[in-house]
Amino acid sequence: MVMALSGKLSYPVRLFIWLLGYSLLLVVCFVLFQYHREKAFKIGELNSRLQMLNSLVLDRLDAGESVGSCRDIVRLPGLDDLRLSIIDENGNVLYDNTLDSIPGSNHRNRTEIRDALRYGDGYTVRRHSESTGLVYFYSATRGIDGTVVRTAVPYTLSHSDLLKADYGFLWIMGIITFVMCILGYIATRRVGQHITRLTLFARRAERGERIYDTEPFPHDELGEISNNIVRLYVKFQQANAERDREHRAAMREQHEKERIKKQLTNNINHELKTPVAAMQACLETLLEHPDMDEKRRRDFLSRCLASNGRLRNLLDDVSLITRMDDGGTAIVRERLDIMKIIAEVVAECEPMAEIEGMEIRNHIDRQLESEGNPLLLASVFRNLIVNAVTYSGGTMIELRLLGVHDGMAVIRVADDGTGVGAEHLDRLFERFYRVDKGRSRARGGTGLGLAIVKNAILMHGGTVTAVNRIPHGLEFNITLPLLSV
């Protein structure tokens, strides 16, 4: 019903209805507050008058007068049928001026009696009397000796009596509501005009029409906001045109990437020629000199084996790079523990590090569950450790978990070697890039290790950066996503 009505009525009318409803709700809240406040005041006033009467009866009793002598003071202006009861500290009724016989029920658990015995006075606004069959307002006061004097009047106060004094307040609230409605109508009508114009603008924008900032809105705060919206849309249209130009530039960049890929292919061919040529030269020498002495023969065979190993490593790295370039979906992923993978790689590389006089310190002793390819992640840490052992010239390699932030583990792999020049840091992860080309080839490097590290980390949703350590050394900071527990 409300949705159907909202569809039929214009926005200014609906806004005015909401404002009117808010005003009426405000008036009702104030009226209810005033009603309860007035009722509480009259109840307090009545209780005070009865408490004064109770105190007077207690004073008479303390002075030694009899209960019967108190009948003449049980009179209050405007209160008829006043009931007087005297109850001992055990809750037994000793006297009641409206009954011929004393009731035998114990009154200790009556609210007003219980409060009077505990706090000195108490009252009950409305309760039915089993003795008289009437509904009373009860007020009780405790004396020094524990005797409780209770007075009661029939409960005849109506709601109209309680609110009778508030008619002036209601008239004032009604006038205020009327004025608020008039002002609200004026305000909502002006706001509605702005909204209507903005609606028309939105429809034109949805149709993709060309909009120019030629029709300004009225000069007020909302009009300024509306003008800003139109200007923003005009700028948005201009941004779309700029985006199209950037798209064309991106296409040119894609063609450039393809050109670079072809260049990489040429680099691979160049890298393959070196070990192949060395193997061919060794084999040809052996074939041409069958009577070569054993020592020289073993030397040529060792060179041939070394070239073959370099060729195998290069082909393995190229194959891995190609698989990652073809897309991450071809890589099998499974649940794994990064800590366990690192421990296995460290154990595998420790003999090599000892030969080079280096110590590997693995401080990662916390389970780090992730999802990925264990062989790829192992190749990441293996390449970093092997690079440090082979080229750093240091004495120590350290692996440490720096922390876990927003579901990402931050791992550092660092050495205390010579580091690299600042001009090389940004290019360390490029394919076939070497800091020292001669030394890298001499040690059997393919130039693809750090490229594999970066691509493998990116495929797992992480990042890797390289920085020089102070005072010396090189460190790689790796972030990898973890599975939520």
Side-chain angles (χ1 to χ4, degrees), residues 310-339:
R310 181 183 171 194
L311 180 61
R312 186 186 67 251
N313 292 337
L314 182 60
L315 291 175
D316 289 341
D317 288 348
V318 170
S319 175
L320 187 56
I321 285 284
T322 303
R323 287 174 59 200
M324 289 189 287
D325 285 344
D326 288 341
T329 55
I331 305 298
V332 178
R333 296 174 180 266
E334 61 184 62
R335 194 182 186 97
L336 51 84
D337 184 2
I338 299 175
M339 179 193 71

PDB file of all heavy atoms in Angstrom, residues 310-339:
ATOM      1  N   ARG A 310      74.072 -26.841 -17.410  1.00  0.00           N
ATOM      2  CA  ARG A 310      73.572 -25.479 -17.599  1.00  0.00           C
ATOM      3  C   ARG A 310      72.421 -25.453 -18.586  1.00  0.00           C
ATOM      4  O   ARG A 310      71.422 -24.746 -18.398  1.00  0.00           O
ATOM      5  CB  ARG A 310      74.718 -24.598 -18.083  1.00  0.00           C
ATOM      6  CG  ARG A 310      74.298 -23.142 -18.280  1.00  0.00           C
ATOM      7  CD  ARG A 310      75.427 -22.314 -18.837  1.00  0.00           C
ATOM      8  NE  ARG A 310      74.952 -20.998 -19.218  1.00  0.00           N
ATOM      9  CZ  ARG A 310      75.625 -20.150 -19.971  1.00  0.00           C
ATOM     10  NH1 ARG A 310      76.832 -20.492 -20.439  1.00  0.00           N
ATOM     11  NH2 ARG A 310      75.132 -18.961 -20.273  1.00  0.00           N
ATOM     12  N   LEU A 311      72.552 -26.230 -19.668  1.00  0.00           N
ATOM     13  CA  LEU A 311      71.480 -26.301 -20.664  1.00  0.00           C
ATOM     14  C   LEU A 311      70.208 -26.874 -20.047  1.00  0.00           C
ATOM     15  O   LEU A 311      69.102 -26.387 -20.303  1.00  0.00           O
ATOM     16  CB  LEU A 311      71.944 -27.162 -21.841  1.00  0.00           C
ATOM     17  CG  LEU A 311      70.937 -27.343 -22.984  1.00  0.00           C
ATOM     18  CD1 LEU A 311      70.593 -25.998 -23.603  1.00  0.00           C
ATOM     19  CD2 LEU A 311      71.505 -28.290 -24.038  1.00  0.00           C
ATOM     20  N   ARG A 312      70.380 -27.948 -19.228  1.00  0.00           N
ATOM     21  CA  ARG A 312      69.200 -28.531 -18.591  1.00  0.00           C
ATOM     22  C   ARG A 312      68.517 -27.521 -17.661  1.00  0.00           C
ATOM     23  O   ARG A 312      67.293 -27.393 -17.645  1.00  0.00           O
ATOM     24  CB  ARG A 312      69.613 -29.773 -17.807  1.00  0.00           C
ATOM     25  CG  ARG A 312      68.418 -30.531 -17.213  1.00  0.00           C
ATOM     26  CD  ARG A 312      68.841 -31.678 -16.319  1.00  0.00           C
ATOM     27  NE  ARG A 312      69.509 -31.187 -15.107  1.00  0.00           N
ATOM     28  CZ  ARG A 312      70.806 -31.310 -14.870  1.00  0.00           C
ATOM     29  NH1 ARG A 312      71.602 -31.894 -15.769  1.00  0.00           N
ATOM     30  NH2 ARG A 312      71.330 -30.866 -13.736  1.00  0.00           N
ATOM     31  N   ASN A 313      69.315 -26.799 -16.855  1.00  0.00           N
ATOM     32  CA  ASN A 313      68.749 -25.798 -15.946  1.00  0.00           C
ATOM     33  C   ASN A 313      68.019 -24.702 -16.721  1.00  0.00           C
ATOM     34  O   ASN A 313      66.936 -24.244 -16.325  1.00  0.00           O
ATOM     35  CB  ASN A 313      69.847 -25.177 -15.089  1.00  0.00           C
ATOM     36  CG  ASN A 313      70.422 -26.172 -14.100  1.00  0.00           C
ATOM     37  OD1 ASN A 313      69.768 -27.152 -13.743  1.00  0.00           O
ATOM     38  ND2 ASN A 313      71.653 -25.929 -13.670  1.00  0.00           N
ATOM     39  N   LEU A 314      68.633 -24.286 -17.840  1.00  0.00           N
ATOM     40  CA  LEU A 314      68.011 -23.244 -18.644  1.00  0.00           C
ATOM     41  C   LEU A 314      66.683 -23.709 -19.225  1.00  0.00           C
ATOM     42  O   LEU A 314      65.678 -22.991 -19.201  1.00  0.00           O
ATOM     43  CB  LEU A 314      68.965 -22.815 -19.766  1.00  0.00           C
ATOM     44  CG  LEU A 314      68.471 -21.686 -20.685  1.00  0.00           C
ATOM     45  CD1 LEU A 314      68.196 -20.426 -19.885  1.00  0.00           C
ATOM     46  CD2 LEU A 314      69.490 -21.416 -21.787  1.00  0.00           C
ATOM     47  N   LEU A 315      66.654 -24.947 -19.726  1.00  0.00           N
ATOM     48  CA  LEU A 315      65.410 -25.473 -20.287  1.00  0.00           C
ATOM     49  C   LEU A 315      64.332 -25.626 -19.211  1.00  0.00           C
ATOM     50  O   LEU A 315      63.151 -25.356 -19.457  1.00  0.00           O
ATOM     51  CB  LEU A 315      65.684 -26.820 -20.969  1.00  0.00           C
ATOM     52  CG  LEU A 315      66.526 -26.765 -22.241  1.00  0.00           C
ATOM     53  CD1 LEU A 315      66.825 -28.172 -22.746  1.00  0.00           C
ATOM     54  CD2 LEU A 315      65.803 -25.953 -23.316  1.00  0.00           C
ATOM     55  N   ASP A 316      64.755 -26.065 -18.025  1.00  0.00           N
ATOM     56  CA  ASP A 316      63.786 -26.185 -16.931  1.00  0.00           C
ATOM     57  C   ASP A 316      63.196 -24.822 -16.568  1.00  0.00           C
ATOM     58  O   ASP A 316      61.980 -24.681 -16.367  1.00  0.00           O
ATOM     59  CB  ASP A 316      64.458 -26.807 -15.702  1.00  0.00           C
ATOM     60  CG  ASP A 316      64.772 -28.285 -15.910  1.00  0.00           C
ATOM     61  OD1 ASP A 316      64.172 -28.895 -16.816  1.00  0.00           O
ATOM     62  OD2 ASP A 316      65.607 -28.816 -15.142  1.00  0.00           O
ATOM     63  N   ASP A 317      64.071 -23.817 -16.477  1.00  0.00           N
ATOM     64  CA  ASP A 317      63.587 -22.482 -16.114  1.00  0.00           C
ATOM     65  C   ASP A 317      62.691 -21.902 -17.193  1.00  0.00           C
ATOM     66  O   ASP A 317      61.654 -21.292 -16.907  1.00  0.00           O
ATOM     67  CB  ASP A 317      64.773 -21.543 -15.861  1.00  0.00           C
ATOM     68  CG  ASP A 317      65.492 -21.868 -14.560  1.00  0.00           C
ATOM     69  OD1 ASP A 317      64.928 -22.650 -13.762  1.00  0.00           O
ATOM     70  OD2 ASP A 317      66.598 -21.347 -14.333  1.00  0.00           O
ATOM     71  N   VAL A 318      63.069 -22.094 -18.451  1.00  0.00           N
ATOM     72  CA  VAL A 318      62.249 -21.596 -19.562  1.00  0.00           C
ATOM     73  C   VAL A 318      60.893 -22.290 -19.564  1.00  0.00           C
ATOM     74  O   VAL A 318      59.843 -21.677 -19.781  1.00  0.00           O
ATOM     75  CB  VAL A 318      62.969 -21.793 -20.904  1.00  0.00           C
ATOM     76  CG1 VAL A 318      62.021 -21.516 -22.073  1.00  0.00           C
ATOM     77  CG2 VAL A 318      64.187 -20.884 -20.986  1.00  0.00           C
ATOM     78  N   SER A 319      60.902 -23.613 -19.310  1.00  0.00           N
ATOM     79  CA  SER A 319      59.643 -24.362 -19.264  1.00  0.00           C
ATOM     80  C   SER A 319      58.743 -23.834 -18.154  1.00  0.00           C
ATOM     81  O   SER A 319      57.527 -23.666 -18.350  1.00  0.00           O
ATOM     82  CB  SER A 319      59.931 -25.846 -19.059  1.00  0.00           C
ATOM     83  OG  SER A 319      58.731 -26.570 -18.888  1.00  0.00           O
ATOM     84  N   LEU A 320      59.344 -23.562 -16.988  1.00  0.00           N
ATOM     85  CA  LEU A 320      58.553 -23.055 -15.870  1.00  0.00           C
ATOM     86  C   LEU A 320      57.997 -21.669 -16.162  1.00  0.00           C
ATOM     87  O   LEU A 320      56.826 -21.374 -15.903  1.00  0.00           O
ATOM     88  CB  LEU A 320      59.416 -23.029 -14.602  1.00  0.00           C
ATOM     89  CG  LEU A 320      58.708 -22.677 -13.289  1.00  0.00           C
ATOM     90  CD1 LEU A 320      57.546 -23.626 -13.032  1.00  0.00           C
ATOM     91  CD2 LEU A 320      59.705 -22.718 -12.141  1.00  0.00           C
ATOM     92  N   ILE A 321      58.845 -20.798 -16.741  1.00  0.00           N
ATOM     93  CA  ILE A 321      58.387 -19.455 -17.104  1.00  0.00           C
ATOM     94  C   ILE A 321      57.251 -19.532 -18.116  1.00  0.00           C
ATOM     95  O   ILE A 321      56.250 -18.812 -18.037  1.00  0.00           O
ATOM     96  CB  ILE A 321      59.557 -18.633 -17.679  1.00  0.00           C
ATOM     97  CG1 ILE A 321      60.498 -18.187 -16.556  1.00  0.00           C
ATOM     98  CG2 ILE A 321      59.055 -17.418 -18.437  1.00  0.00           C
ATOM     99  CD1 ILE A 321      59.986 -17.054 -15.722  1.00  0.00           C
ATOM    100  N   THR A 322      57.375 -20.441 -19.089  1.00  0.00           N
ATOM    101  CA  THR A 322      56.339 -20.583 -20.122  1.00  0.00           C
ATOM    102  C   THR A 322      55.025 -21.042 -19.514  1.00  0.00           C
ATOM    103  O   THR A 322      53.943 -20.546 -19.869  1.00  0.00           O
ATOM    104  CB  THR A 322      56.800 -21.584 -21.196  1.00  0.00           C
ATOM    105  OG1 THR A 322      58.041 -21.148 -21.746  1.00  0.00           O
ATOM    106  CG2 THR A 322      55.763 -21.696 -22.299  1.00  0.00           C
ATOM    107  N   ARG A 323      55.084 -21.994 -18.577  1.00  0.00           N
ATOM    108  CA  ARG A 323      53.858 -22.470 -17.923  1.00  0.00           C
ATOM    109  C   ARG A 323      53.169 -21.345 -17.177  1.00  0.00           C
ATOM    110  O   ARG A 323      51.940 -21.197 -17.208  1.00  0.00           O
ATOM    111  CB  ARG A 323      54.195 -23.605 -16.961  1.00  0.00           C
ATOM    112  CG  ARG A 323      54.551 -24.916 -17.633  1.00  0.00           C
ATOM    113  CD  ARG A 323      55.001 -25.926 -16.602  1.00  0.00           C
ATOM    114  NE  ARG A 323      53.967 -26.169 -15.612  1.00  0.00           N
ATOM    115  CZ  ARG A 323      54.192 -26.684 -14.409  1.00  0.00           C
ATOM    116  NH1 ARG A 323      55.431 -26.990 -14.040  1.00  0.00           N
ATOM    117  NH2 ARG A 323      53.194 -26.894 -13.571  1.00  0.00           N
ATOM    118  N   MET A 324      53.953 -20.504 -16.499  1.00  0.00           N
ATOM    119  CA  MET A 324      53.347 -19.400 -15.765  1.00  0.00           C
ATOM    120  C   MET A 324      52.797 -18.334 -16.704  1.00  0.00           C
ATOM    121  O   MET A 324      51.763 -17.711 -16.430  1.00  0.00           O
ATOM    122  CB  MET A 324      54.376 -18.790 -14.799  1.00  0.00           C
ATOM    123  CG  MET A 324      54.689 -19.705 -13.626  1.00  0.00           C
ATOM    124  SD  MET A 324      55.693 -18.919 -12.344  1.00  0.00           S
ATOM    125  CE  MET A 324      57.278 -18.879 -13.165  1.00  0.00           C
ATOM    126  N   ASP A 325      53.460 -18.113 -17.828  1.00  0.00           N
ATOM    127  CA  ASP A 325      52.954 -17.140 -18.806  1.00  0.00           C
ATOM    128  C   ASP A 325      51.666 -17.604 -19.453  1.00  0.00           C
ATOM    129  O   ASP A 325      50.813 -16.794 -19.824  1.00  0.00           O
ATOM    130  CB  ASP A 325      54.005 -16.875 -19.894  1.00  0.00           C
ATOM    131  CG  ASP A 325      55.134 -15.995 -19.387  1.00  0.00           C
ATOM    132  OD1 ASP A 325      54.950 -15.364 -18.322  1.00  0.00           O
ATOM    133  OD2 ASP A 325      56.187 -15.938 -20.045  1.00  0.00           O
ATOM    134  N   ASP A 326      51.525 -18.938 -19.610  1.00  0.00           N
ATOM    135  CA  ASP A 326      50.322 -19.472 -20.251  1.00  0.00           C
ATOM    136  C   ASP A 326      49.083 -19.299 -19.385  1.00  0.00           C
ATOM    137  O   ASP A 326      47.957 -19.439 -19.871  1.00  0.00           O
ATOM    138  CB  ASP A 326      50.511 -20.958 -20.573  1.00  0.00           C
ATOM    139  CG  ASP A 326      51.480 -21.151 -21.729  1.00  0.00           C
ATOM    140  OD1 ASP A 326      51.696 -20.168 -22.474  1.00  0.00           O
ATOM    141  OD2 ASP A 326      52.021 -22.253 -21.868  1.00  0.00           O
ATOM    142  N   GLY A 327      49.280 -19.033 -18.108  1.00  0.00           N
ATOM    143  CA  GLY A 327      48.127 -18.805 -17.239  1.00  0.00           C
ATOM    144  C   GLY A 327      48.192 -19.621 -15.980  1.00  0.00           C
ATOM    145  O   GLY A 327      48.623 -20.776 -15.976  1.00  0.00           O
ATOM    146  N   GLY A 328      47.756 -18.987 -14.861  1.00  0.00           N
ATOM    147  CA  GLY A 328      47.790 -19.646 -13.560  1.00  0.00           C
ATOM    148  C   GLY A 328      46.822 -20.799 -13.433  1.00  0.00           C
ATOM    149  O   GLY A 328      46.966 -21.645 -12.545  1.00  0.00           O
ATOM    150  N   THR A 329      45.822 -20.862 -14.325  1.00  0.00           N
ATOM    151  CA  THR A 329      44.838 -21.944 -14.201  1.00  0.00           C
ATOM    152  C   THR A 329      45.451 -23.305 -14.517  1.00  0.00           C
ATOM    153  O   THR A 329      44.910 -24.338 -14.120  1.00  0.00           O
ATOM    154  CB  THR A 329      43.657 -21.690 -15.146  1.00  0.00           C
ATOM    155  OG1 THR A 329      44.158 -21.524 -16.481  1.00  0.00           O
ATOM    156  CG2 THR A 329      42.908 -20.421 -14.736  1.00  0.00           C
ATOM    157  N   ALA A 330      46.571 -23.286 -15.248  1.00  0.00           N
ATOM    158  CA  ALA A 330      47.211 -24.563 -15.580  1.00  0.00           C
ATOM    159  C   ALA A 330      48.037 -25.104 -14.422  1.00  0.00           C
ATOM    160  O   ALA A 330      48.482 -26.245 -14.469  1.00  0.00           O
ATOM    161  CB  ALA A 330      48.101 -24.380 -16.812  1.00  0.00           C
ATOM    162  N   ILE A 331      48.266 -24.302 -13.397  1.00  0.00           N
ATOM    163  CA  ILE A 331      49.054 -24.716 -12.251  1.00  0.00           C
ATOM    164  C   ILE A 331      48.139 -25.357 -11.215  1.00  0.00           C
ATOM    165  O   ILE A 331      47.141 -24.765 -10.795  1.00  0.00           O
ATOM    166  CB  ILE A 331      49.799 -23.519 -11.633  1.00  0.00           C
ATOM    167  CG1 ILE A 331      50.657 -22.818 -12.695  1.00  0.00           C
ATOM    168  CG2 ILE A 331      50.652 -23.964 -10.461  1.00  0.00           C
ATOM    169  CD1 ILE A 331      51.732 -23.683 -13.285  1.00  0.00           C
ATOM    170  N   VAL A 332      48.448 -26.568 -10.806  1.00  0.00           N
ATOM    171  CA  VAL A 332      47.640 -27.289  -9.816  1.00  0.00           C
ATOM    172  C   VAL A 332      47.858 -26.656  -8.439  1.00  0.00           C
ATOM    173  O   VAL A 332      49.000 -26.441  -8.015  1.00  0.00           O
ATOM    174  CB  VAL A 332      48.013 -28.782  -9.783  1.00  0.00           C
ATOM    175  CG1 VAL A 332      47.196 -29.506  -8.721  1.00  0.00           C
ATOM    176  CG2 VAL A 332      47.788 -29.398 -11.165  1.00  0.00           C
ATOM    177  N   ARG A 333      46.783 -26.377  -7.734  1.00  0.00           N
ATOM    178  CA  ARG A 333      46.859 -25.775  -6.408  1.00  0.00           C
ATOM    179  C   ARG A 333      46.315 -26.752  -5.370  1.00  0.00           C
ATOM    180  O   ARG A 333      45.398 -27.521  -5.658  1.00  0.00           O
ATOM    181  CB  ARG A 333      46.059 -24.468  -6.352  1.00  0.00           C
ATOM    182  CG  ARG A 333      46.614 -23.383  -7.261  1.00  0.00           C
ATOM    183  CD  ARG A 333      45.690 -22.165  -7.275  1.00  0.00           C
ATOM    184  NE  ARG A 333      46.209 -21.123  -8.140  1.00  0.00           N
ATOM    185  CZ  ARG A 333      46.969 -20.115  -7.724  1.00  0.00           C
ATOM    186  NH1 ARG A 333      47.285 -20.042  -6.423  1.00  0.00           N
ATOM    187  NH2 ARG A 333      47.413 -19.198  -8.545  1.00  0.00           N
ATOM    188  N   GLU A 334      46.899 -26.695  -4.183  1.00  0.00           N
ATOM    189  CA  GLU A 334      46.461 -27.545  -3.088  1.00  0.00           C
ATOM    190  C   GLU A 334      46.736 -26.844  -1.760  1.00  0.00           C
ATOM    191  O   GLU A 334      47.449 -25.838  -1.706  1.00  0.00           O
ATOM    192  CB  GLU A 334      47.190 -28.891  -3.138  1.00  0.00           C
ATOM    193  CG  GLU A 334      48.701 -28.765  -2.997  1.00  0.00           C
ATOM    194  CD  GLU A 334      49.400 -30.100  -3.159  1.00  0.00           C
ATOM    195  OE1 GLU A 334      49.276 -30.696  -4.268  1.00  0.00           O
ATOM    196  OE2 GLU A 334      50.044 -30.534  -2.185  1.00  0.00           O
ATOM    197  N   ARG A 335      46.163 -27.376  -0.699  1.00  0.00           N
ATOM    198  CA  ARG A 335      46.408 -26.836   0.634  1.00  0.00           C
ATOM    199  C   ARG A 335      47.828 -27.220   1.071  1.00  0.00           C
ATOM    200  O   ARG A 335      48.225 -28.382   0.938  1.00  0.00           O
ATOM    201  CB  ARG A 335      45.382 -27.399   1.624  1.00  0.00           C
ATOM    202  CG  ARG A 335      45.333 -26.664   2.959  1.00  0.00           C
ATOM    203  CD  ARG A 335      44.315 -27.343   3.880  1.00  0.00           C
ATOM    204  NE  ARG A 335      44.137 -26.589   5.103  1.00  0.00           N
ATOM    205  CZ  ARG A 335      43.168 -25.724   5.330  1.00  0.00           C
ATOM    206  NH1 ARG A 335      42.278 -25.496   4.372  1.00  0.00           N
ATOM    207  NH2 ARG A 335      43.068 -25.078   6.470  1.00  0.00           N
ATOM    208  N   LEU A 336      48.585 -26.256   1.583  1.00  0.00           N
ATOM    209  CA  LEU A 336      49.970 -26.510   1.944  1.00  0.00           C
ATOM    210  C   LEU A 336      50.382 -25.678   3.146  1.00  0.00           C
ATOM    211  O   LEU A 336      49.678 -24.743   3.540  1.00  0.00           O
ATOM    212  CB  LEU A 336      50.894 -26.227   0.751  1.00  0.00           C
ATOM    213  CG  LEU A 336      50.732 -24.871   0.038  1.00  0.00           C
ATOM    214  CD1 LEU A 336      51.501 -23.774   0.737  1.00  0.00           C
ATOM    215  CD2 LEU A 336      51.177 -24.981  -1.421  1.00  0.00           C
ATOM    216  N   ASP A 337      51.533 -26.035   3.708  1.00  0.00           N
ATOM    217  CA  ASP A 337      52.107 -25.323   4.854  1.00  0.00           C
ATOM    218  C   ASP A 337      53.419 -24.685   4.399  1.00  0.00           C
ATOM    219  O   ASP A 337      54.383 -25.383   4.074  1.00  0.00           O
ATOM    220  CB  ASP A 337      52.340 -26.283   6.022  1.00  0.00           C
ATOM    221  CG  ASP A 337      52.847 -25.556   7.267  1.00  0.00           C
ATOM    222  OD1 ASP A 337      52.976 -24.318   7.228  1.00  0.00           O
ATOM    223  OD2 ASP A 337      53.116 -26.240   8.273  1.00  0.00           O
ATOM    224  N   ILE A 338      53.443 -23.349   4.354  1.00  0.00           N
ATOM    225  CA  ILE A 338      54.633 -22.635   3.882  1.00  0.00           C
ATOM    226  C   ILE A 338      55.832 -22.938   4.775  1.00  0.00           C
ATOM    227  O   ILE A 338      56.966 -23.074   4.296  1.00  0.00           O
ATOM    228  CB  ILE A 338      54.349 -21.124   3.826  1.00  0.00           C
ATOM    229  CG1 ILE A 338      53.198 -20.834   2.851  1.00  0.00           C
ATOM    230  CG2 ILE A 338      55.594 -20.352   3.416  1.00  0.00           C
ATOM    231  CD1 ILE A 338      52.769 -19.376   2.808  1.00  0.00           C
ATOM    232  N   MET A 339      55.602 -23.048   6.093  1.00  0.00           N
ATOM    233  CA  MET A 339      56.698 -23.339   7.014  1.00  0.00           C
ATOM    234  C   MET A 339      57.369 -24.666   6.645  1.00  0.00           C
ATOM    235  O   MET A 339      58.613 -24.767   6.634  1.00  0.00           O
ATOM    236  CB  MET A 339      56.172 -23.399   8.451  1.00  0.00           C
ATOM    237  CG  MET A 339      57.238 -23.728   9.482  1.00  0.00           C
ATOM    238  SD  MET A 339      56.558 -24.168  11.100  1.00  0.00           S
ATOM    239  CE  MET A 339      55.836 -25.780  10.730  1.00  0.00           C
TER     240      MET A 339
END
